[in-house]
Amino acid sequence: AKLRGIDPQSDLAVVKIEAVRLPIAVLADSAKTRVGEFAIAIGTPFDLDYTVTFGHVSAKGRSNLLQGYGAAAMDQDYIQTDALMNPGNSGGPLLNIDGEVIGINTLIRGMHSGIGFAIPSSFAKEVSEKLIAEGKFTRAWLGIGIRALRDDLDMREPVKGVDNGVVVESILRGGPAAKSDLV
């Protein structure tokens, strides 16, 4: 296989295999995945090949999963499942009841907890297409810390008539926003 690209932040890579008539996994549109539907995790936990577990999609849109452990680098959402995963499941598919890939297994919250996370297949497809075309996946970033206006009581008073938005609370030194007029 030939490496086409790696995206360390999403824990995804694309390799090209020179072969014909290989079976192809069908990617589902993970945006259509519903909480409560069956989820099947396949992987190699503890070097036990072809291990299959099942459960349900527990939640969608999970983020900030590694608070204190590089959480700033996690700018994506995950599918949460109770299909049991262990070390070695990473990189394996999370399937729906029709055998379509709804996600790529990537994280667990504690051993034997029944709380696992998968990169949604729609995001994995977006990343893989960029890795194939450009060899990298570029993320936009401003280098600012924000919070919701609705959560900032001090700012709601001087900004009358605005119900939604964000408040810039910090600007990262050396980041793109540091060169702007933001203060």
Side-chain angles (χ1 to χ4, degrees):
K2 181 180 177 183
L3 181 65
R4 296 294 300 265
I6 298 174
D7 180 45
Q9 269 184 257
S10 64
D11 195 26
L12 293 172
V14 173
V15 293
K16 182 177 182 178
I17 300 172
E18 296 292 340
V20 294
R21 288 187 258 151
L22 294 175
I24 298 171
V26 175
L27 289 181
D29 178 357
S30 56
K32 294 180 181 176
T33 299
R34 297 178 316 171
V35 173
E37 73 177 69
F38 280 105
I40 303 160
I42 300 177
T44 309
F46 305 110
D47 290 326
L48 299 169
D49 290 349
Y50 312 109
T51 298
V52 177
T53 60
F54 70 94
H56 302 88
V57 172
S58 303
K60 291 174 57 178
R62 294 289 195 212
S63 60
N64 299 321
L65 302 177
L66 300 176
Q67 295 161 354
Y69 299 97
M74 297 185 73
D75 65 345
Q76 63 205 41
D77 291 334
Y78 294 84
I79 297 170
Q80 180 182 333
T81 182
D82 63 358
L84 192 59
M85 289 189 233
N86 288 293
N89 274 96
S90 294
L94 184 67
L95 308 169
N96 62 20
I97 196 71
D98 297 317
E100 300 167 324
V101 178
I102 59 173
I104 309 296
N105 303 327
T106 191
L107 296 167
I108 58 174
R109 172 74 53 91
M111 293 294 292
H112 312 296
S113 68
I115 302 175
F117 301 94
I119 300 162
S121 59
S122 298
F123 183 68
K125 181 178 179 186
E126 179 185 346
V127 171
S128 65
E129 287 173 350
K130 286 289 189 179
L131 292 176
I132 291 167
E134 301 172 17
K136 63 180 180 174
F137 183 73
T138 305
R139 290 171 170 76
W141 73 290
L142 296 174
I144 60 173
I146 60 171
R147 68 177 173 272
L149 177 63
R150 68 179 172 275
D151 296 336
D152 191 330
L153 299 175
D154 294 334
M155 286 303 293
R156 283 196 302 192
E157 185 62 32
V159 185
K160 298 259 189 233
V162 178
D163 295 327
N164 291 310
V166 296
V167 176
V168 176
E169 60 183 4
S170 62
I171 299 173
L172 181 68
R173 191 176 322 149
K179 300 172 187 149
S180 73
D181 291 334
L182 291 173
V183 287

